[in-house]
PDB file of all heavy atoms in Angstrom:
ATOM      1  N   LYS A  16       0.908 -69.915 -84.044  1.00  0.00           N
ATOM      2  CA  LYS A  16       0.444 -71.097 -83.330  1.00  0.00           C
ATOM      3  C   LYS A  16       0.346 -72.283 -84.272  1.00  0.00           C
ATOM      4  O   LYS A  16       0.770 -73.390 -83.966  1.00  0.00           O
ATOM      5  CB  LYS A  16      -0.926 -70.802 -82.694  1.00  0.00           C
ATOM      6  CG  LYS A  16      -0.962 -71.151 -81.221  1.00  0.00           C
ATOM      7  CD  LYS A  16      -2.347 -70.971 -80.683  1.00  0.00           C
ATOM      8  CE  LYS A  16      -2.402 -69.839 -79.667  1.00  0.00           C
ATOM      9  NZ  LYS A  16      -3.780 -69.418 -79.362  1.00  0.00           N
ATOM     10  N   LEU A  58      52.826 -72.822 -89.860  1.00  0.00           N
ATOM     11  CA  LEU A  58      52.716 -72.033 -88.636  1.00  0.00           C
ATOM     12  C   LEU A  58      53.814 -70.988 -88.509  1.00  0.00           C
ATOM     13  O   LEU A  58      53.655 -69.981 -87.856  1.00  0.00           O
ATOM     14  CB  LEU A  58      52.728 -72.941 -87.399  1.00  0.00           C
ATOM     15  CG  LEU A  58      51.512 -73.817 -87.173  1.00  0.00           C
ATOM     16  CD1 LEU A  58      51.593 -74.493 -85.825  1.00  0.00           C
ATOM     17  CD2 LEU A  58      50.215 -73.033 -87.259  1.00  0.00           C
ATOM     18  N   ALA A  63      53.528 -68.500 -93.105  1.00  0.00           N
ATOM     19  CA  ALA A  63      52.835 -68.456 -91.831  1.00  0.00           C
ATOM     20  C   ALA A  63      51.447 -67.855 -92.018  1.00  0.00           C
ATOM     21  O   ALA A  63      51.321 -66.707 -92.436  1.00  0.00           O
ATOM     22  CB  ALA A  63      53.636 -67.641 -90.835  1.00  0.00           C
ATOM     23  N   ARG A 149      62.371-100.782 -70.724  1.00  0.00           N
ATOM     24  CA  ARG A 149      63.392-101.767 -70.356  1.00  0.00           C
ATOM     25  C   ARG A 149      63.325-102.144 -68.884  1.00  0.00           C
ATOM     26  O   ARG A 149      63.501-103.299 -68.511  1.00  0.00           O
ATOM     27  CB  ARG A 149      64.777-101.218 -70.690  1.00  0.00           C
ATOM     28  CG  ARG A 149      65.889-102.224 -70.496  1.00  0.00           C
ATOM     29  CD  ARG A 149      67.232-101.668 -70.917  1.00  0.00           C
ATOM     30  NE  ARG A 149      67.407-101.597 -72.358  1.00  0.00           N
ATOM     31  CZ  ARG A 149      67.718-102.649 -73.123  1.00  0.00           C
ATOM     32  NH1 ARG A 149      67.861-103.829 -72.601  1.00  0.00           N
ATOM     33  NH2 ARG A 149      67.864-102.502 -74.426  1.00  0.00           N
ATOM     34  N   ASN A 166      63.933-103.487 -74.314  1.00  0.00           N
ATOM     35  CA  ASN A 166      63.095-102.293 -74.382  1.00  0.00           C
ATOM     36  C   ASN A 166      62.068-102.519 -75.485  1.00  0.00           C
ATOM     37  O   ASN A 166      62.344-102.325 -76.656  1.00  0.00           O
ATOM     38  CB  ASN A 166      63.965-101.071 -74.681  1.00  0.00           C
ATOM     39  CG  ASN A 166      63.152 -99.794 -74.712  1.00  0.00           C
ATOM     40  OD1 ASN A 166      61.915 -99.826 -74.745  1.00  0.00           O
ATOM     41  ND2 ASN A 166      63.822 -98.658 -74.695  1.00  0.00           N
ATOM     42  N   TYR A 169      61.284 -99.950 -78.053  1.00  0.00           N
ATOM     43  CA  TYR A 169      62.300 -99.659 -79.051  1.00  0.00           C
ATOM     44  C   TYR A 169      62.544-100.847 -79.983  1.00  0.00           C
ATOM     45  O   TYR A 169      62.630-100.680 -81.194  1.00  0.00           O
ATOM     46  CB  TYR A 169      63.624 -99.245 -78.394  1.00  0.00           C
ATOM     47  CG  TYR A 169      64.620 -98.857 -79.451  1.00  0.00           C
ATOM     48  CD1 TYR A 169      64.511 -97.621 -80.076  1.00  0.00           C
ATOM     49  CD2 TYR A 169      65.603 -99.740 -79.877  1.00  0.00           C
ATOM     50  CE1 TYR A 169      65.366 -97.271 -81.090  1.00  0.00           C
ATOM     51  CE2 TYR A 169      66.474 -99.391 -80.896  1.00  0.00           C
ATOM     52  CZ  TYR A 169      66.351 -98.164 -81.503  1.00  0.00           C
ATOM     53  OH  TYR A 169      67.183 -97.821 -82.515  1.00  0.00           O
ATOM     54  N   GLY A 257      61.717 -93.245 -84.591  1.00  0.00           N
ATOM     55  CA  GLY A 257      61.609 -92.887 -86.004  1.00  0.00           C
ATOM     56  C   GLY A 257      60.150 -92.697 -86.320  1.00  0.00           C
ATOM     57  O   GLY A 257      59.475 -91.918 -85.662  1.00  0.00           O
ATOM     58  N   PRO A 274      57.683 -79.350 -85.954  1.00  0.00           N
ATOM     59  CA  PRO A 274      58.392 -78.924 -87.146  1.00  0.00           C
ATOM     60  C   PRO A 274      58.208 -79.959 -88.240  1.00  0.00           C
ATOM     61  O   PRO A 274      58.225 -81.137 -87.927  1.00  0.00           O
ATOM     62  CB  PRO A 274      59.853 -78.869 -86.696  1.00  0.00           C
ATOM     63  CG  PRO A 274      59.835 -78.923 -85.223  1.00  0.00           C
ATOM     64  CD  PRO A 274      58.549 -79.512 -84.800  1.00  0.00           C
ATOM     65  N   TYR A 276      55.806 -77.880 -89.232  1.00  0.00           N
ATOM     66  CA  TYR A 276      54.536 -77.137 -89.061  1.00  0.00           C
ATOM     67  C   TYR A 276      53.761 -76.943 -90.367  1.00  0.00           C
ATOM     68  O   TYR A 276      53.226 -75.874 -90.616  1.00  0.00           O
ATOM     69  CB  TYR A 276      54.778 -75.766 -88.437  1.00  0.00           C
ATOM     70  CG  TYR A 276      55.625 -75.773 -87.201  1.00  0.00           C
ATOM     71  CD1 TYR A 276      56.937 -75.335 -87.237  1.00  0.00           C
ATOM     72  CD2 TYR A 276      55.110 -76.221 -85.983  1.00  0.00           C
ATOM     73  CE1 TYR A 276      57.719 -75.358 -86.092  1.00  0.00           C
ATOM     74  CE2 TYR A 276      55.892 -76.236 -84.849  1.00  0.00           C
ATOM     75  CZ  TYR A 276      57.188 -75.803 -84.913  1.00  0.00           C
ATOM     76  OH  TYR A 276      57.966 -75.812 -83.790  1.00  0.00           O
ATOM     77  N   GLU A 277      53.749 -77.956 -91.219  1.00  0.00           N
ATOM     78  CA  GLU A 277      53.065 -77.797 -92.505  1.00  0.00           C
ATOM     79  C   GLU A 277      51.583 -78.118 -92.364  1.00  0.00           C
ATOM     80  O   GLU A 277      51.135 -79.230 -92.606  1.00  0.00           O
ATOM     81  CB  GLU A 277      53.710 -78.710 -93.549  1.00  0.00           C
ATOM     82  CG  GLU A 277      55.078 -78.212 -93.954  1.00  0.00           C
ATOM     83  CD  GLU A 277      55.901 -79.257 -94.665  1.00  0.00           C
ATOM     84  OE1 GLU A 277      55.651 -80.466 -94.454  1.00  0.00           O
ATOM     85  OE2 GLU A 277      56.792 -78.871 -95.429  1.00  0.00           O
TER      86      GLU A 277
ATOM     87  N   GLU B   4       0.338 -69.555 -72.818  1.00  0.00           N
ATOM     88  CA  GLU B   4       1.246 -68.724 -73.588  1.00  0.00           C
ATOM     89  C   GLU B   4       2.124 -67.882 -72.678  1.00  0.00           C
ATOM     90  O   GLU B   4       3.296 -67.645 -72.967  1.00  0.00           O
ATOM     91  CB  GLU B   4       0.452 -67.843 -74.550  1.00  0.00           C
ATOM     92  CG  GLU B   4       0.135 -68.604 -75.813  1.00  0.00           C
ATOM     93  CD  GLU B   4      -0.756 -67.819 -76.756  1.00  0.00           C
ATOM     94  OE1 GLU B   4      -1.026 -66.642 -76.457  1.00  0.00           O
ATOM     95  OE2 GLU B   4      -1.159 -68.404 -77.761  1.00  0.00           O
ATOM     96  N   GLN B  82      58.572 -75.724 -80.156  1.00  0.00           N
ATOM     97  CA  GLN B  82      57.280 -76.106 -80.744  1.00  0.00           C
ATOM     98  C   GLN B  82      56.132 -75.346 -80.114  1.00  0.00           C
ATOM     99  O   GLN B  82      55.253 -74.834 -80.793  1.00  0.00           O
ATOM    100  CB  GLN B  82      57.023 -77.593 -80.509  1.00  0.00           C
ATOM    101  CG  GLN B  82      57.607 -78.474 -81.568  1.00  0.00           C
ATOM    102  CD  GLN B  82      57.452 -79.921 -81.187  1.00  0.00           C
ATOM    103  OE1 GLN B  82      56.482 -80.303 -80.542  1.00  0.00           O
ATOM    104  NE2 GLN B  82      58.407 -80.725 -81.569  1.00  0.00           N
ATOM    105  N   ALA B  89      51.814 -68.492 -83.784  1.00  0.00           N
ATOM    106  CA  ALA B  89      51.063 -68.619 -85.021  1.00  0.00           C
ATOM    107  C   ALA B  89      49.577 -68.452 -84.770  1.00  0.00           C
ATOM    108  O   ALA B  89      48.849 -67.940 -85.607  1.00  0.00           O
ATOM    109  CB  ALA B  89      51.335 -69.968 -85.663  1.00  0.00           C
ATOM    110  N   TYR B 112      55.796 -62.077 -86.369  1.00  0.00           N
ATOM    111  CA  TYR B 112      55.330 -62.402 -85.015  1.00  0.00           C
ATOM    112  C   TYR B 112      55.994 -61.557 -83.933  1.00  0.00           C
ATOM    113  O   TYR B 112      55.522 -61.510 -82.808  1.00  0.00           O
ATOM    114  CB  TYR B 112      55.608 -63.874 -84.697  1.00  0.00           C
ATOM    115  CG  TYR B 112      54.828 -64.861 -85.523  1.00  0.00           C
ATOM    116  CD1 TYR B 112      55.289 -66.164 -85.693  1.00  0.00           C
ATOM    117  CD2 TYR B 112      53.616 -64.519 -86.109  1.00  0.00           C
ATOM    118  CE1 TYR B 112      54.573 -67.082 -86.443  1.00  0.00           C
ATOM    119  CE2 TYR B 112      52.903 -65.428 -86.854  1.00  0.00           C
ATOM    120  CZ  TYR B 112      53.390 -66.713 -87.022  1.00  0.00           C
ATOM    121  OH  TYR B 112      52.681 -67.614 -87.751  1.00  0.00           O
ATOM    122  N   GLU B 271      71.106 -96.377 -79.318  1.00  0.00           N
ATOM    123  CA  GLU B 271      70.057 -95.953 -80.252  1.00  0.00           C
ATOM    124  C   GLU B 271      68.783 -95.566 -79.510  1.00  0.00           C
ATOM    125  O   GLU B 271      68.168 -94.554 -79.775  1.00  0.00           O
ATOM    126  CB  GLU B 271      69.730 -97.096 -81.217  1.00  0.00           C
ATOM    127  CG  GLU B 271      70.912 -97.535 -82.049  1.00  0.00           C
ATOM    128  CD  GLU B 271      70.666 -98.876 -82.714  1.00  0.00           C
ATOM    129  OE1 GLU B 271      69.501 -99.308 -82.756  1.00  0.00           O
ATOM    130  OE2 GLU B 271      71.638 -99.476 -83.176  1.00  0.00           O
ATOM    131  N   GLU B 272      68.398 -96.420 -78.557  1.00  0.00           N
ATOM    132  CA  GLU B 272      67.062 -96.250 -77.974  1.00  0.00           C
ATOM    133  C   GLU B 272      66.944 -94.998 -77.114  1.00  0.00           C
ATOM    134  O   GLU B 272      65.842 -94.507 -76.903  1.00  0.00           O
ATOM    135  CB  GLU B 272      66.664 -97.498 -77.186  1.00  0.00           C
ATOM    136  CG  GLU B 272      67.620 -97.826 -76.053  1.00  0.00           C
ATOM    137  CD  GLU B 272      67.202 -99.111 -75.357  1.00  0.00           C
ATOM    138  OE1 GLU B 272      67.426-100.165 -75.940  1.00  0.00           O
ATOM    139  OE2 GLU B 272      66.661 -99.037 -74.252  1.00  0.00           O
ATOM    140  N   PHE B 275      64.863 -92.092 -78.407  1.00  0.00           N
ATOM    141  CA  PHE B 275      63.430 -92.219 -78.659  1.00  0.00           C
ATOM    142  C   PHE B 275      62.609 -92.385 -77.396  1.00  0.00           C
ATOM    143  O   PHE B 275      61.439 -92.709 -77.462  1.00  0.00           O
ATOM    144  CB  PHE B 275      63.178 -93.394 -79.613  1.00  0.00           C
ATOM    145  CG  PHE B 275      63.959 -93.255 -80.881  1.00  0.00           C
ATOM    146  CD1 PHE B 275      65.106 -93.989 -81.095  1.00  0.00           C
ATOM    147  CD2 PHE B 275      63.560 -92.338 -81.841  1.00  0.00           C
ATOM    148  CE1 PHE B 275      65.835 -93.833 -82.253  1.00  0.00           C
ATOM    149  CE2 PHE B 275      64.291 -92.173 -83.002  1.00  0.00           C
ATOM    150  CZ  PHE B 275      65.431 -92.927 -83.218  1.00  0.00           C
ATOM    151  N   LYS B 424      63.270 -75.991 -91.257  1.00  0.00           N
ATOM    152  CA  LYS B 424      62.949 -77.148 -92.090  1.00  0.00           C
ATOM    153  C   LYS B 424      64.209 -77.947 -92.408  1.00  0.00           C
ATOM    154  O   LYS B 424      64.220 -79.173 -92.326  1.00  0.00           O
ATOM    155  CB  LYS B 424      62.279 -76.704 -93.390  1.00  0.00           C
ATOM    156  CG  LYS B 424      60.829 -76.415 -93.174  1.00  0.00           C
ATOM    157  CD  LYS B 424      60.032 -76.445 -94.440  1.00  0.00           C
ATOM    158  CE  LYS B 424      58.585 -76.148 -94.054  1.00  0.00           C
ATOM    159  NZ  LYS B 424      57.752 -75.779 -95.159  1.00  0.00           N
ATOM    160  N   PHE B 427      65.161 -79.887 -89.599  1.00  0.00           N
ATOM    161  CA  PHE B 427      64.270 -81.041 -89.446  1.00  0.00           C
ATOM    162  C   PHE B 427      64.695 -82.184 -90.364  1.00  0.00           C
ATOM    163  O   PHE B 427      64.672 -83.356 -89.978  1.00  0.00           O
ATOM    164  CB  PHE B 427      62.829 -80.606 -89.750  1.00  0.00           C
ATOM    165  CG  PHE B 427      61.823 -81.704 -89.613  1.00  0.00           C
ATOM    166  CD1 PHE B 427      61.553 -82.274 -88.384  1.00  0.00           C
ATOM    167  CD2 PHE B 427      61.136 -82.168 -90.723  1.00  0.00           C
ATOM    168  CE1 PHE B 427      60.618 -83.282 -88.262  1.00  0.00           C
ATOM    169  CE2 PHE B 427      60.193 -83.180 -90.614  1.00  0.00           C
ATOM    170  CZ  PHE B 427      59.940 -83.734 -89.376  1.00  0.00           C
ATOM    171  N   GLU B 434      67.934 -89.935 -88.111  1.00  0.00           N
ATOM    172  CA  GLU B 434      67.008 -90.943 -87.598  1.00  0.00           C
ATOM    173  C   GLU B 434      66.986 -92.178 -88.493  1.00  0.00           C
ATOM    174  O   GLU B 434      66.943 -93.311 -88.016  1.00  0.00           O
ATOM    175  CB  GLU B 434      65.616 -90.321 -87.521  1.00  0.00           C
ATOM    176  CG  GLU B 434      64.596 -91.157 -86.821  1.00  0.00           C
ATOM    177  CD  GLU B 434      63.400 -90.292 -86.455  1.00  0.00           C
ATOM    178  OE1 GLU B 434      63.502 -89.575 -85.452  1.00  0.00           O
ATOM    179  OE2 GLU B 434      62.397 -90.312 -87.167  1.00  0.00           O
TER     180      GLU B 434
END
Side-chain angles (χ1 to χ4, degrees):
Chain A
K16 231 185 246 166
L58 290 188
R149 187 177 285 281
N166 182 347
Y169 184 77
Y276 310 105
E277 288 164 335
Chain B
E4 276 175 6
Q82 273 173 33
Y112 294 157
E271 300 165 15
E272 59 183 75
F275 305 103
K424 280 200 179 164
F427 181 66
E434 189 164 281

